[in-house]
Amino acid sequence: MGGAAPETTGEAVLRFDRVSVRRPPAGHLVLHDVSWTVRAGEHWAVLGPNGAGKTSALRLASGLGFPTEGTVDVLGRRVGRVDVRELRAVVGSVASGHRLPESLTARTAVLTGLSGTAQPLWKMYEDADRARAGELLDELGCAGLADREVGVCSEGEKARIRIARALITRPSLLLLDEPFNALDLPSREDLVEALHTLAERQPHLATVTVTHHVEELPPAVDHALLLRDGSVMAAGAVGDVLDSAALTRCFGRPITVVRQGHRWVATSARG
C-alpha cells in the first residue's frame, strides 16, 4: 500500500470541531459530529458516495454555510463571525459547475478572481496583477491560452483557468469540488499534472479536493478523509486511509484499491 505520509506540523488552516449540519425543514443531518484539521502544505482528498456530505463540508470551509453545532475555523477566523469577503482573500474555491464568461480571454478571466465578479473591473487591476495572472496560467500549463477567449478553450483548459482564477488572491487554502468532472482522459491527466506542479511550486498552499474516483488523485495528495452519511469513516495519511477495507466500508460494496507508483486504482466487483 505504500507508507503513510509524513506528519506535518504546520499551522492549522482549516479546523472542524464536532461539526454537525441539519437541513431544514425536517432537520435531516447532512454532517454529523465531524472533527477534521487541515494544516499548511497538506493536500487532502475527500471521498465518499453521493450524499455523504462532501460538498457540504466544502461550503462550510469557504464560509458559504454555517454549522448547526460545533465550530469551523479558517486560519483562525470563525465561520459565522467573520465577513465572507475576508474569507475570500484566504480561501480559493473552485467548482466544476462554475461557468466563466466565454467572451473573456483566459488572462482576464483569471483577473476577475481579484474582484470576485463575472465581468472585469478594470480600474482595480494593476500591472502586477496582470503579470500574476500570466504567471498562474503558466504554472498550470496554460501559458499559451492567456489571450485566447474562454469560449474556444477545451473543458480541461477551462478547469485549469478556473483554478488560476481562484489562486489570483494568493490564498492559503484551495478548495476543489470535483474539478475533474466531465473531463476526458487526456484532460484529466493534464489537470493531475498541473495540480502536482502547483504543489511543488507553492509548498505552503493547502488543498482539499472532493472527488469520487481515486484515479483522479494527484501524486501530491498526502491525506484522505472518507465520509459516509455525513460521518467520518476514516481520516489521516493517504497510505493508511486508502485501503480496500476502508473504501469497502465507505462505499458499501466490495472495493479493491491498489497503489501503482504515485497513483491509485480502484475496482469493484461483487463476489
Side-chain angles (χ1 to χ4, degrees), residues 161-226:
I161 293 167
R162 282 192 288 266
I163 293 172
R165 181 180 184 272
L167 292 170
I168 191 71
T169 59
R170 302 181 187 272
S172 298
L173 174 64
L174 178 64
L175 307 175
L176 303 169
D177 191 2
E178 298 190 40
F180 301 93
N181 189 37
L183 299 188
D184 60 19
L185 180 59
S187 295
R188 183 191 78 181
E189 292 305 300
D190 286 343
L191 182 53
V192 166
E193 182 177 349
L195 290 173
H196 185 62
T197 300
L198 179 66
E200 292 181 328
R201 295 187 180 181
Q202 298 194 29
H204 298 294
L205 177 69
T207 65
V208 177
T209 302
V210 166
T211 180
H212 289 287
H213 307 291
V214 298
E215 291 82 3
E216 296 173 347
L217 300 182
V221 168
D222 49 20
H223 290 76
L225 173 72
L226 302 185

Side-chain angles (χ1 to χ4, degrees), residues 4 23-24 46 48 58 62 64 99 121 137 145 160 167 175 185 193 225 229 253 259 267:
R23 180 180 296 150
V46 180
L58 255 61
S62 62
L64 295 178
R99 298 186 65 84
L121 301 181
L137 289 169
L145 303 180
R160 285 178 280 158
L167 292 170
L175 307 175
L185 180 59
E193 182 177 349
L225 173 72
D229 296 330
R253 63 178 295 155
R259 194 167 193 168
T267 57

Side-chain angles (χ1 to χ4, degrees), residues 95-110:
S96 61
H98 174 69
R99 298 186 65 84
L100 300 169
E102 298 199 342
S103 61
L104 300 183
T105 65
R107 181 187 286 108
T108 301
V110 173

